[in-house]
Amino acid sequence: MDFAFDDRTQDLRERLLAFMDEHVYPAEPVFTQQAEAAEAAGRGWERLPVTADLKAEARRRGLWNLFLTGKAAKAVSALDSALLPDPPLTNLQYAPLAEITGWSPALAPEALNCAAPDTGNMEVLAEFGSPEQQERWLRPLLDGEIRSAFCMTEPGVASSDAANIATTISRTSDGYVINGRKWWSSGAMSSDCKILIVMGVTAEVTAGDEHSHRKHSMILVPRDTPGVGVRRGVRVFGYTDGTHGGHAEVDFTDVYVPRENLIAGEGEGFAIAQARLGPGRIHHCMRQIGAAEHALELMCQRATSRTAFGKPLAEQGVIQDWIAESRVRIEQARLLVLKTAWLMDTVGNKGAHTEIQAIKIVTPAMAEWVIDKAIQAHGGGGVSQDFPLAHLWASARTLRFADGPDEVHKRSLARRELRKTAARTTARSE
């Protein structure tokens, strides 16, 4: 693979960097003021005016819906090609752009309409949605007019094993009735959230059933449907995480939706989830590279501007070790992320499955380590609101279990390696 940026990627990088310098970074203190005022008024999860201004400017500059690639991009192009860059980007082209947005995760991803959970939900609707579902829900999401939520994880079961998901989606004569409780329903606290994608059981599950992965389905539930009740917003290390539309605990009590709201078909829930989570995982990792770069830059600035025990921090051996180790870890993770993006483009998400799991293990842990050292170099300032480090650390730490915990990915990778070894051993003995 070629690690040099092609002309189109370089052009978009330059345009995005200019947008960040001219609009995003200057808007960060405004965002903080608006967010603090909204939270003081009890509206901590509402969309802020500064975000709308940035979205309009990003769209005017052609920095809009950059994340859509592959099958999802083809489906959106068929719906309305004006909603995408022409032609759509590849994963390898998008990776350095997503990294740039990781420098300002509270503002930049949403400004480009590239923020979770809407990105994953748009991909689901593009790949699996019916024409009617796409027209009603995908188009306004692509236009940035509404937001959405993804409701999969549940408080009553160990959701690291998705087969445990117990919310029921029961068939009626003309539709489905949903009962259950979800939490960490990303996006559901947003005042602009209009549609929920809910995963649940459409067939009875027996413990140990070899067909348990065919028992779950996904269905569209408009946010204002009777029986949908938001119990509370779930905070992340004390943060509202409003840039993701907040995370809600949601009750579904005899929630009726018509049959046409089912996505793809009964029993397709796991297939849809895997298609959704693959791109989502690499997008998170791309942005975490940028977050780690930002933290390293802040650490270097702090080290050269502070003196302790008679000499600048930058001359202290332990600080130099942190800086050098940070650079090495970032570069290692970036190369693996770029390889994964290239594989997704060339052999598909399934062919890149091992690498997608690998970057999900490596990259958040790398970012968490680098950000932690930057916090340490800043002392008390590092955990305060005066620097972005505390929020960056909370995001990196959360990603070690979001979209699947580290341990599940390691378990899967280990099994794959053992199978390969067993196959080689068998081949040699024949």
Side-chain angles (χ1 to χ4, degrees), residues 59-283:
R59 192 163 191 177
R60 188 186 70 78
R61 293 179 178 227
L63 301 170
W64 192 254
N65 289 334
L66 302 176
F67 71 96
L68 281 160
T69 62
K71 293 180 182 177
K74 290 180 181 178
V76 171
S77 294
L79 179 69
D80 187 345
S81 60
L83 294 168
L84 286 179
D86 184 23
L89 303 182
T90 65
N91 285 292
L92 190 58
Q93 289 173 320
Y94 178 57
L97 307 177
E99 177 180 327
I100 292 169
T101 67
W103 282 67
S104 184
L107 282 176
E110 187 177 357
L112 276 59
N113 211 36
C114 293
D118 297 324
T119 47
N121 292 343
M122 284 188 268
E123 286 166 337
V124 165
L125 289 167
E127 288 195 48
F128 302 99
S130 67
E132 293 77 15
Q133 291 170 350
Q134 291 176 348
E135 189 62 37
R136 183 175 179 187
W137 301 114
L138 178 57
R139 184 182 292 275
L141 283 168
L142 290 163
D143 275 325
E145 297 173 357
I146 65 172
R147 296 207 70 177
S148 60
F150 187 63
C151 306
M152 183 172 176
T153 305
E154 298 179 3
V157 299
S159 297
S160 57
D161 179 359
N164 288 334
I165 289 171
T167 293
T168 58
I169 303 174
S170 304
R171 193 188 312 165
T172 67
S173 60
D174 59 350
Y176 293 90
V177 173
I178 304 158
N179 282 283
R181 178 176 296 176
K182 300 288 186 179
W183 74 336
W184 297 108
S185 296
S186 300
M189 293 301 297
S190 172
S191 55
D192 291 324
C193 178
K194 303 301 180 185
I195 188 66
L196 316 175
I197 295 181
V198 182
M199 184 165 173
V201 179
T202 45
E204 186 176 345
V205 177
T206 303
D209 188 341
E210 63 177 332
H211 300 297
S212 61
H213 287 73
R214 293 288 302 168
K215 302 294 180 69
H216 293 77
S217 305
M218 288 195 187
I219 198 162
L220 291 162
V221 180
R223 174 67 178 76
D224 58 0
T225 304
V228 176
V230 175
R231 296 172 61 87
R232 59 172 179 152
V234 185
R235 293 176 180 262
V236 181
F237 289 104
Y239 294 102
T240 63
D241 209 12
T243 54
H244 283 85
H247 310 281
E249 185 169 354
V250 186
D251 281 333
F252 296 87
T253 307
D254 294 330
V255 175
Y256 169 82
V257 295
R259 182 174 298 175
E260 56 266 26
N261 283 33
L262 190 72
I263 301 175
E266 291 188 12
E268 298 296 327
F270 274 90
I272 296 171
Q274 285 304 309
R276 182 189 189 278
L277 291 174
R281 286 167 180 151
I282 193 171
H283 295 167

Side-chain angles (χ1 to χ4, degrees), residues 38-57:
E39 185 156 9
R43 304 189 307 274
W45 285 279
E46 71 177 16
R47 179 176 285 180
L48 303 175
V50 66
T51 306
D53 296 339
L54 289 173
K55 288 168 78 79
E57 180 61 23

Side-chain angles (χ1 to χ4, degrees), residues 202-412:
T202 45
E204 186 176 345
V205 177
T206 303
D209 188 341
E210 63 177 332
H211 300 297
S212 61
H213 287 73
R214 293 288 302 168
K215 302 294 180 69
H216 293 77
S217 305
M218 288 195 187
I219 198 162
L220 291 162
V221 180
R223 174 67 178 76
D224 58 0
T225 304
V228 176
V230 175
R231 296 172 61 87
R232 59 172 179 152
V234 185
R235 293 176 180 262
V236 181
F237 289 104
Y239 294 102
T240 63
D241 209 12
T243 54
H244 283 85
H247 310 281
E249 185 169 354
V250 186
D251 281 333
F252 296 87
T253 307
D254 294 330
V255 175
Y256 169 82
V257 295
R259 182 174 298 175
E260 56 266 26
N261 283 33
L262 190 72
I263 301 175
E266 291 188 12
E268 298 296 327
F270 274 90
I272 296 171
Q274 285 304 309
R276 182 189 189 278
L277 291 174
R281 286 167 180 151
I282 193 171
H283 295 167
H284 281 309
C285 291
M286 292 168 179
R287 288 189 289 267
Q288 285 299 300
I289 300 294
E293 285 282 10
H294 192 181
L296 176 55
E297 180 173 282
L298 290 173
M299 178 161 47
C300 290
Q301 291 174 353
R302 190 72 166 186
T304 55
S305 65
R306 288 291 194 275
T307 298
F309 303 104
K311 59 182 179 180
L313 290 181
E315 295 181 16
Q316 305 283 354
V318 66
I319 302 292
Q320 293 178 348
D321 181 81
W322 292 347
I323 292 170
E325 186 69 21
S326 295
R327 171 51 59 208
V328 170
R329 293 189 185 208
I330 291 171
E331 295 302 330
Q332 289 174 329
R334 179 186 284 115
L335 286 173
L336 187 53
V337 169
L338 289 174
K339 177 193 175 186
T340 304
W342 173 72
L343 284 171
M344 291 172 72
D345 292 333
T346 55
V347 298
N349 294 0
K350 189 171 291 187
H353 187 67
T354 295
E355 285 75 13
I356 290 172
Q357 289 186 311
I359 62 170
K360 178 60 174 59
I361 296 165
V362 167
T363 313
M366 174 280 296
E368 181 189 342
W369 190 92
V370 173
I371 297 163
D372 179 76
K373 299 310 180 219
I375 289 173
Q376 198 72 7
H378 281 73
V383 296
S384 76
Q385 70 269 39
D386 293 345
F387 296 92
L389 294 168
H391 189 267
L392 292 177
W393 183 89
S395 296
R397 179 62 186 86
T398 302
L399 280 176
R400 289 182 54 203
F401 56 81
D403 288 352
D406 291 353
E407 293 73 17
V408 172
H409 292 298
K410 289 178 179 180
R411 174 176 178 265
S412 178

